Amino acid sequence: MSDGAPVLEFRDLTVALPPGSDRPLALDGLTLQVRAGEIVCLVGESGSGKSLAALAAMRLLAPGVQVAGGTIRLDGRDLAPLSEAEMRGLRGDDMAMIFQEPMTALNPQKRVGWQIDEVLRLHTDLDRRARRARIREILEEVRIPDPAGAAQAYPHQLSGGQRQRVMIAMALVLRPRLIIADEPTTALDVTTQKQVLALIRDIQRGEGAGILFITHDFGVVAEIADRVAVLRRGELVEQGPAAEVLNRPQHPYTRALIAAVPALIPPPPAAIPPDAPVVLKAEGLDKTFSARGTLFGPRRKPVQAVRDLSFELRRGETLGVVGESGSGKTTVARIVTRLIQPDSGRVLIGGEDFAHAKPAEVRALRRHIQMVFQDPMASLNPRKRVIDLIAQGPMIHGMKKAEAHARARSLLELVELSPAAGERYPHEFSGGQRQRIGIARALALEPRVIVADEPVSALDVSVQAQVLRLLADLRARLQLSLLFVTHDLRVAAQLCDRVMVMSKGEVVETGPTAEVFSDPQHPYTQSLIASIPGRDWTPPRVALETEGAP
């Protein structure tokens, strides 16, 4: 850890929220330092104020959200009295931010090179040739393959990991003293995550920059942090060296967060009888996405997303589908739920081929397999009440409205929400509550199989633990079978009886979760497990207190 002077310093920072918010203060007396050459991880649940602290430092707070007290200093300089023109000069030159979602932060209509060049045009006197050389140099530094080609690409033509590297390149191109990284690895698979974290660590060591790293992933904290600060509803409840906070947490809230981190050691698998019926069977699935041009890019080569894939899922069993982005996991989920058609192969539900069923037969078979999507806000109609969203499936299948609404209310209770919540709309719920609503909707037709596509990837560890416990409980009570798609191997370790590891559309390894995790046979599986952030850190068993728990 660095002993340098503070690059960023919050002194008793208080940030007020607009009238009508869930609380008056987003940050209440935050005092925190980030020194040159160190990485400080700011952790806490959604709504704790982590991102608002970053936006306050950058002077990018939304209208109505304002600093109500305290100071923010950059290299000892108070930022409050600076004009907007002076702040624009500091952003990029002295401080930079890596945003969580690069597809939102990058302009989809501009090439990557143009967007990096814009930073250089605004902040330097370099001529065009020098700027082009610097763009290529910074893309090489962040280890993007084919820097010249990447500079000519549009954001959608790059992978998620490459887009995040572009964001890092834009933040680094002027060599700022302070870098703020807001959840930069949340949506990335473990191998890409490992590469990005290694890159950030190299920047810290090579450039001597101070880094404020915002995350809710304690595996990432264990991997990268020098110091840790824990926020709860705007208040700093604990801070200290990473080893101290991670292994000997003092505050009940910190203890509760760490206790919710999924362990890498799988629990005993569910006792599936050897004669348990096969409820879902895939035979020889193939899917190739044909070549096609795009509005902003050239014609691409065909991509074989799934190749000769077969598996069985028994009643009461959870089968995890794991692998990197682009491995074919979601394509499998969409094929077995008939959201897309395979080029060849069969999907058998109760012995009937769902993939090639006639339109008149699809509705009857679809009720046996339902899907929980990654983003419930995108999959729930914002104009319909929750009770109507849950009742919609049963009503389509002939159930009377009153009976369907009664079932919806009972399902809300089953997923541990109040039946009265059915009268509200999706935007009135938290992310974890919306995911419970998505689960209730999937259960409404009493399916044999639930396909869950990354259902907890964007949730805080405490909410994630609640949803995982709910899924495990529902599986045991209802004898559900789960096909669970995830890139989070910690989650797979805790929930899945078996795992199926995919790479480039093929299954490279499958078996009981405990066996695959303890003794992976395929080099790709070995690489995945070795890439898990904080793999060598075991969350301590801590005694939880009620007060202060999430």
Side-chain angles (χ1 to χ4, degrees):
M1 185 172 67
S2 170
D3 293 324
V7 177
L8 174 67
E9 185 176 14
F10 298 111
R11 290 186 184 174
D12 200 27
L13 178 66
T14 299
V15 174
L17 293 170
S21 300
D22 66 336
R23 64 179 191 267
L25 299 179
L27 293 170
D28 188 0
L30 173 64
T31 296
L32 181 68
Q33 294 181 343
V34 180
R35 297 183 179 275
E38 77 167 351
I39 298 176
V40 176
C41 279
L42 188 59
V43 300
E45 296 176 291
S46 296
S48 62
K50 305 186 303 295
S51 293
L52 278 176
L55 293 172
M58 298 293 293
R59 281 262 297 268
L60 295 174
L61 290 172
V65 181
Q66 57 184 346
V67 175
T71 59
I72 305 169
R73 296 180 180 274
L74 181 69
D75 282 327
R77 185 181 186 185
D78 188 355
L79 300 182
L82 300 185
S83 67
E84 183 54 34
E86 289 174 309
M87 281 301 303
R88 280 198 299 270
L90 290 180
R91 296 186 199 114
D93 283 324
D94 298 283
M95 60 196 305
M97 189 162 175
I98 304 167
F99 293 92
Q100 178 175 356
E101 179 43 69
M103 272 304 279
T104 301
L106 294 171
N107 188 331
Q109 296 182 311
K110 298 291 185 181
R111 297 180 192 273
V112 162
W114 186 95
Q115 297 187 59
I116 301 174
D117 187 51
E118 183 180 31
V119 179
L120 296 172
R121 292 197 312 271
L122 292 174
H123 290 270
T124 72
D125 296 325
L126 296 175
D127 60 28
R128 184 177 179 183
R129 177 177 293 181
R131 294 199 310 270
R132 289 179 65 181
R134 178 65 184 132
I135 292 167
R136 179 162 187 148
E137 178 185 30
I138 195 66
L139 289 175
E140 288 176 349
E141 285 182 27
V142 298
R143 302 172 197 159
I144 286 186
D146 184 18
Q152 293 302 309
Y154 292 90
H156 74 275
Q157 294 176 301
L158 302 178
S159 69
Q162 289 173 334
R163 286 193 293 265
Q164 196 58 274
R165 289 167 189 265
V166 169
M167 290 296 302
I168 294 172
M170 292 177 69
L172 290 181
V173 70
L174 297 177
R175 305 290 192 221
R177 293 258 297 151
L178 171 69
I179 297 169
I180 299 174
D182 188 6
E183 300 273 13
T185 61
T186 294
L188 303 179
D189 55 63
V190 287
T191 48
T192 306
Q193 197 174 53
K194 181 179 181 179
Q195 294 164 5
V196 171
L197 291 176
L199 175 61
I200 290 173
R201 177 61 85 181
D202 288 347
I203 291 164
Q204 172 237 357
R205 290 169 176 164
E207 302 293 331
I211 299 176
L212 180 64
F213 195 104
I214 295 167
T215 184
H216 64 253
D217 188 332
F218 275 85
V220 170
V221 174
E223 184 79 20
I224 201 171
D226 296 311
R227 287 193 299 118
V228 180
V230 184
L231 270 180
R232 180 180 184 267
R233 294 183 63 81
E235 294 185 16
L236 188 66
V237 298
E238 186 166 354
Q239 66 172 312
E244 287 291 322
V245 176
L246 291 173
N247 297 311
R248 289 173 290 278
Q250 300 300 308
H251 195 277
Y253 178 72
T254 312
R255 294 182 178 191
L257 288 179
I258 290 176
V261 176
L264 274 173
I265 301 173
I272 308 298
D275 59 347
V278 174
V279 293
L280 175 66
K281 185 175 183 179
E283 294 181 342
L285 295 180
D286 285 285
K287 181 64 182 179
T288 298
F289 292 104
S290 60
R292 62 182 185 275
T294 64
L295 181 61
F296 299 114
R299 188 175 178 84
R300 291 184 168 190
K301 296 179 180 178
V303 175
Q304 189 163 14
V306 175
R307 183 183 296 111
D308 193 26
L309 185 141
S310 301
F311 67 87
E312 290 184 348
L313 179 64
R314 296 185 176 274
R315 185 179 180 185
E317 181 184 34
T318 299
L319 173 62
V321 186
V322 302
E324 296 173 291
S325 297
S327 63
K329 306 186 304 294
T330 295
T331 301
V332 170
R334 291 179 176 272
I335 288 174
V336 300
T337 51
R338 197 165 157 148
L339 295 177
I340 57 176
Q341 287 286 115
D343 298 327
S344 61
R346 302 195 301 166
V347 176
L348 301 175
I349 300 175
E352 298 183 67
D353 188 357
F354 185 41
H356 300 97
K358 296 177 181 178
E361 301 168 332
V362 168
R363 180 176 292 180
L365 288 173
R366 179 159 277 151
R367 70 179 302 156
H368 297 307
I369 183 166
Q370 293 288 300
M371 191 161 181
V372 178
F373 294 91
Q374 179 174 1
D375 183 355
M377 197 58 188
S379 62
L380 297 173
N381 188 330
R383 297 184 179 183
K384 287 186 176 292
R385 296 179 305 159
V386 162
I387 194 168
D388 296 317
L389 290 169
I390 298 172
Q392 186 176 32
M395 290 172 64
I396 287 173
H397 285 263
M399 186 177 289
K400 300 286 187 182
K401 182 176 181 179
E403 186 181 354
H405 276 201
R407 176 176 289 185
R409 283 187 284 269
S410 68
L411 285 168
L412 285 169
E413 285 190 286
L414 188 66
V415 298
E416 300 169 5
L417 291 173
S418 166
E423 303 303 319
R424 293 154 60 189
Y425 292 85
H427 73 275
E428 298 179 85
F429 296 88
S430 68
Q433 289 172 326
R434 282 195 291 267
Q435 199 57 281
R436 290 171 185 267
I437 292 166
I439 293 169
R441 185 178 62 169
L443 292 172
L445 290 172
E446 300 180 344
R448 300 170 185 169
V449 178
I450 294 286
V451 178
D453 186 10
E454 301 276 12
V456 296
S457 62
L459 302 180
D460 301 314
V461 287
S462 54
V463 180
Q464 182 185 84
Q466 294 165 13
V467 173
L468 292 177
R469 281 196 299 269
L470 174 64
L471 285 170
D473 181 55
L474 291 173
R475 180 187 72 164
R477 278 199 278 169
L478 305 177
Q479 281 295 286
L480 282 172
S481 301
L482 299 178
L483 186 68
F484 195 91
V485 176
T486 183
H487 67 255
D488 189 330
L489 299 185
R490 289 182 181 271
V491 168
Q494 290 304 301
L495 190 67
C496 302
D497 303 308
R498 291 189 298 123
V499 288
M500 183 169 73
V501 184
M502 292 191 66
S503 174
K504 298 179 181 178
E506 294 183 299
V507 176
V508 298
E509 187 165 353
T510 187
T513 306
E515 291 183 15
V516 173
F517 274 57
S518 63
D519 187 22
Q521 299 299 304
H522 195 276
Y524 177 76
T525 312
Q526 294 168 359
S527 172
L528 281 182
I529 292 174
S531 299
I532 298 172
R535 178 170 174 258
D536 296 330
W537 170 65
T538 301
R541 294 179 177 231
V542 290
L544 298 183
E545 301 172 27
T546 302
E547 182 183 357

